[in-house]
Amino acid sequence: MGKGRSYGLEFMAQKQVGNTTGWISYAIAKSNRQFKDGSINDGKRFPYKYDRRHTINIIANHAFNKKFDIGASWVFQSGSTMTIPEAHTTIIIPPTSNPWSHKPIEEVDYVTNRNNYRLPVSHYLNVGMNFHKKTKHGIRTWSVGVYNVYNSMNPNFVYKENKYIDLPGGGYEVKPVIEKVTFLPFIPSVTYTYKF
């Protein structure tokens, strides 16, 4: 049975009055896991997959009048953790009663520690505008927004891939590289809301 340990500290400053409101927050935190029975990571403590050391949030909203307001939010986070193979190793599998059921020699990934790789930091800016109009029976609102305004290619996960590089004079060399994958780039949106 595993045990988790999480601790941290958070600071926040907030403005709630006036046409311009918002807040700034900063959190420093640490989260890890340990399986003393040795079933994972040889019983040693390791960083949890959602462990992010630093998080910054900046939120700002401004109401120009009752018909139009604008808001923006900026988020910065340290990278989370994941496990990637550090090398390949060859193992020899003892024969069984059925010699055709397996390969006697097999290459497998080698990993020294669980969650041994930390993703790069991620950051993005969101901006939205709201257009309000009072009607006979309520208020209608058109909202136009953009997620990740400057199209920051934040990595959602990474994987290791072997690249084959041609050598001068013939032959090739296998070089492991880390490739990143991003799911949420620049995304515009339009929303209509009616309150009555």
Side-chain angles (χ1 to χ4, degrees), residues 152-175:
S152 179
M153 300 304 285
N154 299 309
N156 294 98
F157 70 91
V158 298
Y159 63 93
K160 191 180 76 142
E161 185 176 57
N162 291 325
K163 295 268 184 172
Y164 294 88
I165 301 171
D166 293 327
L167 297 174
Y172 63 89
E173 175 185 35
V174 179
K175 183 179 179 181

PDB file of all heavy atoms in Angstrom, residues 152-175:
ATOM      1  N   SER A 152       1.360  29.305 -27.263  1.00  0.00           N
ATOM      2  CA  SER A 152       2.474  28.632 -26.587  1.00  0.00           C
ATOM      3  C   SER A 152       2.308  27.120 -26.731  1.00  0.00           C
ATOM      4  O   SER A 152       1.265  26.559 -26.390  1.00  0.00           O
ATOM      5  CB  SER A 152       2.490  29.019 -25.105  1.00  0.00           C
ATOM      6  OG  SER A 152       3.531  28.369 -24.432  1.00  0.00           O
ATOM      7  N   MET A 153       3.313  26.453 -27.259  1.00  0.00           N
ATOM      8  CA  MET A 153       3.225  25.009 -27.513  1.00  0.00           C
ATOM      9  C   MET A 153       3.642  24.243 -26.260  1.00  0.00           C
ATOM     10  O   MET A 153       4.719  23.650 -26.158  1.00  0.00           O
ATOM     11  CB  MET A 153       4.104  24.635 -28.701  1.00  0.00           C
ATOM     12  CG  MET A 153       3.709  25.356 -29.988  1.00  0.00           C
ATOM     13  SD  MET A 153       1.969  25.084 -30.458  1.00  0.00           S
ATOM     14  CE  MET A 153       2.088  23.414 -31.066  1.00  0.00           C
ATOM     15  N   ASN A 154       2.749  24.281 -25.264  1.00  0.00           N
ATOM     16  CA  ASN A 154       3.030  23.626 -23.989  1.00  0.00           C
ATOM     17  C   ASN A 154       2.950  22.112 -24.140  1.00  0.00           C
ATOM     18  O   ASN A 154       1.980  21.592 -24.707  1.00  0.00           O
ATOM     19  CB  ASN A 154       2.034  24.093 -22.935  1.00  0.00           C
ATOM     20  CG  ASN A 154       2.121  25.588 -22.688  1.00  0.00           C
ATOM     21  OD1 ASN A 154       3.195  26.113 -22.455  1.00  0.00           O
ATOM     22  ND2 ASN A 154       0.983  26.272 -22.756  1.00  0.00           N
ATOM     23  N   PRO A 155       3.929  21.381 -23.640  1.00  0.00           N
ATOM     24  CA  PRO A 155       3.920  19.921 -23.797  1.00  0.00           C
ATOM     25  C   PRO A 155       2.945  19.255 -22.844  1.00  0.00           C
ATOM     26  O   PRO A 155       2.985  19.498 -21.640  1.00  0.00           O
ATOM     27  CB  PRO A 155       5.369  19.525 -23.474  1.00  0.00           C
ATOM     28  CG  PRO A 155       5.842  20.591 -22.549  1.00  0.00           C
ATOM     29  CD  PRO A 155       5.138  21.849 -22.955  1.00  0.00           C
ATOM     30  N   ASN A 156       2.043  18.423 -23.374  1.00  0.00           N
ATOM     31  CA  ASN A 156       1.160  17.622 -22.536  1.00  0.00           C
ATOM     32  C   ASN A 156       1.832  16.323 -22.108  1.00  0.00           C
ATOM     33  O   ASN A 156       1.594  15.815 -21.021  1.00  0.00           O
ATOM     34  CB  ASN A 156      -0.143  17.313 -23.272  1.00  0.00           C
ATOM     35  CG  ASN A 156      -0.964  18.561 -23.519  1.00  0.00           C
ATOM     36  OD1 ASN A 156      -0.931  19.143 -24.585  1.00  0.00           O
ATOM     37  ND2 ASN A 156      -1.688  19.001 -22.494  1.00  0.00           N
ATOM     38  N   PHE A 157       2.647  15.782 -22.985  1.00  0.00           N
ATOM     39  CA  PHE A 157       3.494  14.650 -22.610  1.00  0.00           C
ATOM     40  C   PHE A 157       4.630  14.547 -23.608  1.00  0.00           C
ATOM     41  O   PHE A 157       4.619  15.187 -24.661  1.00  0.00           O
ATOM     42  CB  PHE A 157       2.694  13.338 -22.523  1.00  0.00           C
ATOM     43  CG  PHE A 157       2.219  12.802 -23.845  1.00  0.00           C
ATOM     44  CD1 PHE A 157       3.001  11.916 -24.577  1.00  0.00           C
ATOM     45  CD2 PHE A 157       0.981  13.161 -24.359  1.00  0.00           C
ATOM     46  CE1 PHE A 157       2.569  11.412 -25.790  1.00  0.00           C
ATOM     47  CE2 PHE A 157       0.542  12.661 -25.567  1.00  0.00           C
ATOM     48  CZ  PHE A 157       1.341  11.786 -26.286  1.00  0.00           C
ATOM     49  N   VAL A 158       5.621  13.745 -23.269  1.00  0.00           N
ATOM     50  CA  VAL A 158       6.761  13.529 -24.155  1.00  0.00           C
ATOM     51  C   VAL A 158       6.997  12.034 -24.301  1.00  0.00           C
ATOM     52  O   VAL A 158       6.494  11.225 -23.520  1.00  0.00           O
ATOM     53  CB  VAL A 158       8.051  14.203 -23.615  1.00  0.00           C
ATOM     54  CG1 VAL A 158       7.885  15.703 -23.517  1.00  0.00           C
ATOM     55  CG2 VAL A 158       8.453  13.608 -22.276  1.00  0.00           C
ATOM     56  N   TYR A 159       7.738  11.665 -25.322  1.00  0.00           N
ATOM     57  CA  TYR A 159       8.121  10.276 -25.503  1.00  0.00           C
ATOM     58  C   TYR A 159       9.514  10.227 -26.117  1.00  0.00           C
ATOM     59  O   TYR A 159       9.966  11.190 -26.744  1.00  0.00           O
ATOM     60  CB  TYR A 159       7.104   9.518 -26.381  1.00  0.00           C
ATOM     61  CG  TYR A 159       6.986  10.052 -27.789  1.00  0.00           C
ATOM     62  CD1 TYR A 159       7.741   9.518 -28.829  1.00  0.00           C
ATOM     63  CD2 TYR A 159       6.106  11.093 -28.081  1.00  0.00           C
ATOM     64  CE1 TYR A 159       7.630  10.008 -30.119  1.00  0.00           C
ATOM     65  CE2 TYR A 159       5.991  11.595 -29.364  1.00  0.00           C
ATOM     66  CZ  TYR A 159       6.745  11.050 -30.377  1.00  0.00           C
ATOM     67  OH  TYR A 159       6.646  11.542 -31.653  1.00  0.00           O
ATOM     68  N   LYS A 160      10.178   9.110 -25.900  1.00  0.00           N
ATOM     69  CA  LYS A 160      11.524   8.954 -26.425  1.00  0.00           C
ATOM     70  C   LYS A 160      11.458   8.225 -27.759  1.00  0.00           C
ATOM     71  O   LYS A 160      10.721   7.241 -27.913  1.00  0.00           O
ATOM     72  CB  LYS A 160      12.403   8.165 -25.460  1.00  0.00           C
ATOM     73  CG  LYS A 160      13.879   8.189 -25.830  1.00  0.00           C
ATOM     74  CD  LYS A 160      14.721   7.403 -24.842  1.00  0.00           C
ATOM     75  CE  LYS A 160      14.536   5.923 -25.092  1.00  0.00           C
ATOM     76  NZ  LYS A 160      15.723   5.120 -24.930  1.00  0.00           N
ATOM     77  N   GLU A 161      12.193   8.739 -28.730  1.00  0.00           N
ATOM     78  CA  GLU A 161      12.218   8.119 -30.055  1.00  0.00           C
ATOM     79  C   GLU A 161      13.672   7.999 -30.509  1.00  0.00           C
ATOM     80  O   GLU A 161      14.491   8.876 -30.251  1.00  0.00           O
ATOM     81  CB  GLU A 161      11.421   8.973 -31.045  1.00  0.00           C
ATOM     82  CG  GLU A 161      11.302   8.355 -32.413  1.00  0.00           C
ATOM     83  CD  GLU A 161      10.418   9.191 -33.321  1.00  0.00           C
ATOM     84  OE1 GLU A 161      10.725  10.371 -33.514  1.00  0.00           O
ATOM     85  OE2 GLU A 161       9.430   8.654 -33.838  1.00  0.00           O
ATOM     86  N   ASN A 162      13.973   6.913 -31.176  1.00  0.00           N
ATOM     87  CA  ASN A 162      15.321   6.707 -31.705  1.00  0.00           C
ATOM     88  C   ASN A 162      15.413   7.269 -33.119  1.00  0.00           C
ATOM     89  O   ASN A 162      14.635   6.894 -33.991  1.00  0.00           O
ATOM     90  CB  ASN A 162      15.679   5.222 -31.710  1.00  0.00           C
ATOM     91  CG  ASN A 162      15.847   4.668 -30.310  1.00  0.00           C
ATOM     92  OD1 ASN A 162      16.332   5.373 -29.431  1.00  0.00           O
ATOM     93  ND2 ASN A 162      15.437   3.436 -30.086  1.00  0.00           N
ATOM     94  N   LYS A 163      16.342   8.196 -33.322  1.00  0.00           N
ATOM     95  CA  LYS A 163      16.568   8.783 -34.644  1.00  0.00           C
ATOM     96  C   LYS A 163      17.812   8.141 -35.258  1.00  0.00           C
ATOM     97  O   LYS A 163      18.835   7.973 -34.588  1.00  0.00           O
ATOM     98  CB  LYS A 163      16.784  10.289 -34.517  1.00  0.00           C
ATOM     99  CG  LYS A 163      15.563  11.032 -34.008  1.00  0.00           C
ATOM    100  CD  LYS A 163      14.712  11.524 -35.141  1.00  0.00           C
ATOM    101  CE  LYS A 163      13.545  12.347 -34.590  1.00  0.00           C
ATOM    102  NZ  LYS A 163      12.797  13.007 -35.612  1.00  0.00           N
ATOM    103  N   TYR A 164      17.700   7.813 -36.538  1.00  0.00           N
ATOM    104  CA  TYR A 164      18.825   7.217 -37.264  1.00  0.00           C
ATOM    105  C   TYR A 164      19.543   8.316 -38.042  1.00  0.00           C
ATOM    106  O   TYR A 164      18.949   8.961 -38.904  1.00  0.00           O
ATOM    107  CB  TYR A 164      18.331   6.115 -38.190  1.00  0.00           C
ATOM    108  CG  TYR A 164      17.760   4.936 -37.438  1.00  0.00           C
ATOM    109  CD1 TYR A 164      16.413   4.910 -37.081  1.00  0.00           C
ATOM    110  CD2 TYR A 164      18.565   3.868 -37.070  1.00  0.00           C
ATOM    111  CE1 TYR A 164      15.884   3.839 -36.369  1.00  0.00           C
ATOM    112  CE2 TYR A 164      18.050   2.793 -36.356  1.00  0.00           C
ATOM    113  CZ  TYR A 164      16.707   2.780 -36.013  1.00  0.00           C
ATOM    114  OH  TYR A 164      16.197   1.728 -35.310  1.00  0.00           O
ATOM    115  N   ILE A 165      20.800   8.542 -37.710  1.00  0.00           N
ATOM    116  CA  ILE A 165      21.594   9.600 -38.320  1.00  0.00           C
ATOM    117  C   ILE A 165      22.673   8.975 -39.192  1.00  0.00           C
ATOM    118  O   ILE A 165      23.460   8.133 -38.721  1.00  0.00           O
ATOM    119  CB  ILE A 165      22.232  10.483 -37.236  1.00  0.00           C
ATOM    120  CG1 ILE A 165      21.131  11.095 -36.357  1.00  0.00           C
ATOM    121  CG2 ILE A 165      23.095  11.570 -37.857  1.00  0.00           C
ATOM    122  CD1 ILE A 165      21.648  11.810 -35.140  1.00  0.00           C
ATOM    123  N   ASP A 166      22.692   9.377 -40.472  1.00  0.00           N
ATOM    124  CA  ASP A 166      23.708   8.874 -41.405  1.00  0.00           C
ATOM    125  C   ASP A 166      25.083   9.414 -41.034  1.00  0.00           C
ATOM    126  O   ASP A 166      25.238  10.602 -40.721  1.00  0.00           O
ATOM    127  CB  ASP A 166      23.360   9.266 -42.843  1.00  0.00           C
ATOM    128  CG  ASP A 166      22.104   8.569 -43.336  1.00  0.00           C
ATOM    129  OD1 ASP A 166      21.876   7.423 -42.915  1.00  0.00           O
ATOM    130  OD2 ASP A 166      21.355   9.177 -44.130  1.00  0.00           O
ATOM    131  N   LEU A 167      26.068   8.540 -41.081  1.00  0.00           N
ATOM    132  CA  LEU A 167      27.444   8.928 -40.770  1.00  0.00           C
ATOM    133  C   LEU A 167      28.238   9.146 -42.054  1.00  0.00           C
ATOM    134  O   LEU A 167      27.970   8.487 -43.068  1.00  0.00           O
ATOM    135  CB  LEU A 167      28.117   7.843 -39.926  1.00  0.00           C
ATOM    136  CG  LEU A 167      27.503   7.593 -38.543  1.00  0.00           C
ATOM    137  CD1 LEU A 167      28.180   6.396 -37.893  1.00  0.00           C
ATOM    138  CD2 LEU A 167      27.628   8.822 -37.670  1.00  0.00           C
ATOM    139  N   PRO A 168      29.197  10.079 -42.029  1.00  0.00           N
ATOM    140  CA  PRO A 168      30.045  10.269 -43.217  1.00  0.00           C
ATOM    141  C   PRO A 168      30.816   8.982 -43.524  1.00  0.00           C
ATOM    142  O   PRO A 168      31.347   8.334 -42.636  1.00  0.00           O
ATOM    143  CB  PRO A 168      31.014  11.382 -42.794  1.00  0.00           C
ATOM    144  CG  PRO A 168      30.390  12.024 -41.604  1.00  0.00           C
ATOM    145  CD  PRO A 168      29.542  10.995 -40.946  1.00  0.00           C
ATOM    146  N   GLY A 169      30.833   8.623 -44.771  1.00  0.00           N
ATOM    147  CA  GLY A 169      31.539   7.402 -45.150  1.00  0.00           C
ATOM    148  C   GLY A 169      30.683   6.149 -45.057  1.00  0.00           C
ATOM    149  O   GLY A 169      31.176   5.040 -45.248  1.00  0.00           O
ATOM    150  N   GLY A 170      29.414   6.320 -44.742  1.00  0.00           N
ATOM    151  CA  GLY A 170      28.519   5.158 -44.689  1.00  0.00           C
ATOM    152  C   GLY A 170      28.158   4.768 -43.261  1.00  0.00           C
ATOM    153  O   GLY A 170      28.798   5.163 -42.293  1.00  0.00           O
ATOM    154  N   GLY A 171      27.125   3.988 -43.156  1.00  0.00           N
ATOM    155  CA  GLY A 171      26.643   3.555 -41.841  1.00  0.00           C
ATOM    156  C   GLY A 171      25.738   4.593 -41.193  1.00  0.00           C
ATOM    157  O   GLY A 171      25.470   5.659 -41.765  1.00  0.00           O
ATOM    158  N   TYR A 172      25.276   4.287 -40.014  1.00  0.00           N
ATOM    159  CA  TYR A 172      24.391   5.215 -39.313  1.00  0.00           C
ATOM    160  C   TYR A 172      24.597   5.074 -37.807  1.00  0.00           C
ATOM    161  O   TYR A 172      25.187   4.109 -37.321  1.00  0.00           O
ATOM    162  CB  TYR A 172      22.922   4.966 -39.685  1.00  0.00           C
ATOM    163  CG  TYR A 172      22.412   3.608 -39.299  1.00  0.00           C
ATOM    164  CD1 TYR A 172      21.839   3.398 -38.039  1.00  0.00           C
ATOM    165  CD2 TYR A 172      22.492   2.530 -40.177  1.00  0.00           C
ATOM    166  CE1 TYR A 172      21.367   2.155 -37.679  1.00  0.00           C
ATOM    167  CE2 TYR A 172      22.021   1.281 -39.824  1.00  0.00           C
ATOM    168  CZ  TYR A 172      21.463   1.097 -38.568  1.00  0.00           C
ATOM    169  OH  TYR A 172      21.007  -0.134 -38.199  1.00  0.00           O
ATOM    170  N   GLU A 173      24.071   6.066 -37.113  1.00  0.00           N
ATOM    171  CA  GLU A 173      24.152   6.092 -35.652  1.00  0.00           C
ATOM    172  C   GLU A 173      22.744   6.269 -35.104  1.00  0.00           C
ATOM    173  O   GLU A 173      21.956   7.039 -35.641  1.00  0.00           O
ATOM    174  CB  GLU A 173      25.055   7.247 -35.212  1.00  0.00           C
ATOM    175  CG  GLU A 173      25.115   7.445 -33.718  1.00  0.00           C
ATOM    176  CD  GLU A 173      25.932   8.682 -33.357  1.00  0.00           C
ATOM    177  OE1 GLU A 173      25.885   9.672 -34.102  1.00  0.00           O
ATOM    178  OE2 GLU A 173      26.619   8.639 -32.333  1.00  0.00           O
ATOM    179  N   VAL A 174      22.429   5.546 -34.046  1.00  0.00           N
ATOM    180  CA  VAL A 174      21.121   5.671 -33.406  1.00  0.00           C
ATOM    181  C   VAL A 174      21.238   6.660 -32.244  1.00  0.00           C
ATOM    182  O   VAL A 174      22.041   6.472 -31.333  1.00  0.00           O
ATOM    183  CB  VAL A 174      20.611   4.314 -32.894  1.00  0.00           C
ATOM    184  CG1 VAL A 174      19.257   4.490 -32.207  1.00  0.00           C
ATOM    185  CG2 VAL A 174      20.505   3.318 -34.032  1.00  0.00           C
ATOM    186  N   LYS A 175      20.436   7.734 -32.310  1.00  0.00           N
ATOM    187  CA  LYS A 175      20.486   8.757 -31.275  1.00  0.00           C
ATOM    188  C   LYS A 175      19.099   8.922 -30.652  1.00  0.00           C
ATOM    189  O   LYS A 175      18.140   9.247 -31.342  1.00  0.00           O
ATOM    190  CB  LYS A 175      20.945  10.085 -31.871  1.00  0.00           C
ATOM    191  CG  LYS A 175      21.094  11.193 -30.844  1.00  0.00           C
ATOM    192  CD  LYS A 175      21.569  12.481 -31.505  1.00  0.00           C
ATOM    193  CE  LYS A 175      21.694  13.604 -30.474  1.00  0.00           C
ATOM    194  NZ  LYS A 175      22.120  14.866 -31.103  1.00  0.00           N
TER     195      LYS A 175
END
